[in-house]
Amino acid sequence: MKKSLKAAIFLILIIFGFQQMKAQTMNAKEVVSISFNLFLGNSSFSKMEITIVRPTWKRSMEMQTWSLGDKYYIAYIISPARDKGQVFLKYNNEMWNFVPTINRTVKIPPSMMMQSWMGSDFTNNDLMKQNSVVTDYSHEFVPEENFENSDCYVVSLKPLPNAAVVWGSIKMWIAKGNMNTLKIEYYDTHQKLIKTEIASNLQMMGGRLLASHMEMISNTKNGNKTIINVKDIQFNIGYINKDFFSIQNIKNIRPKN
């Protein structure tokens, strides 16, 4: 074997070994943080379809979103017609809703962050991508599991003392290979399972391998779930800055083609 080929193989083995060692030395909080930030980047733009499923009916809506870090986030409703033009803004830890039919911007108080968003199984907190799972909980590895043919870190989250959170505990399954969160279980303060989030259909989007299909399934209301299909996502968007996410600007947001 030529020396140059041997050297190349040796270098690859060193890099692979370093990556494996780095993965093994990450603590549980770092694993959760990396997975949480997969869908954010420095900035992002996405298109998605949301379907709310109930035992006797279902309805769908289309939405576009913009984000800047983990502090600024906008969701713009494109359809159905009755909801078109509604905008939801996350600005630091505050949430605002612009309602075009009354031409008013309403602040959503912290007490409503855990309420249903647009009648779905996601909460306002879920939509606004609050990094509560990183900052408001302790993180501990529990025995690893295989979920949907992926070896996963399994992390148990417990609320920190005095943290303003509603969940008594959370359990996350994070794929070791690509760091996507494939499953999340949410428990109340009595350790009753309330809802389960499942992510699947990993695709290359915006240069990253990401789950394009998410389902939030109610464990207390049989037949209730909400499905999100991500149609497109782009990262490091150059045309947005902090001013784009101002309360004054959300009235001017328009969908992108």
Side-chain angles (χ1 to χ4, degrees), residues 78-118:
I78 296 175
S79 68
R82 67 180 184 182
D83 298 316
K84 183 177 181 179
Q86 278 207 63
V87 182
F88 295 86
L89 166 70
K90 173 189 175 182
Y91 190 92
N92 288 320
N93 293 320
E94 296 181 347
M95 181 175 176
W96 300 78
N97 178 205
F98 171 65
V99 185
T101 53
I102 59 174
N103 195 33
R104 285 189 59 194
T105 301
V106 181
K107 185 177 181 180
I108 298 176
S111 60
M112 292 182 63
M113 290 303 293
M114 295 307 297
Q115 292 192 9
S116 169
W117 175 77
M118 300 287 287

Side-chain angles (χ1 to χ4, degrees), residues 152-203:
C152 294
Y153 297 107
V154 184
V155 183
S156 174
L157 287 72
K158 303 292 184 183
L160 294 173
N162 303 317
V165 296
V166 68
W167 301 116
S169 66
I170 298 173
K171 193 174 181 181
M172 302 177 69
W173 284 253
I174 299 172
K176 298 179 72 173
N178 52 58
M179 301 303 286
N180 276 274
T181 298
L182 302 182
K183 181 180 178 182
I184 309 177
E185 292 181 343
Y186 298 89
Y187 295 82
D188 67 11
T189 54
H190 302 289
Q191 296 308 304
K192 179 181 178 180
L193 179 60
I194 302 300
K195 63 181 184 178
T196 302
E197 184 175 358
I198 304 291
S200 60
N201 194 19
L202 271 62
Q203 298 182 13

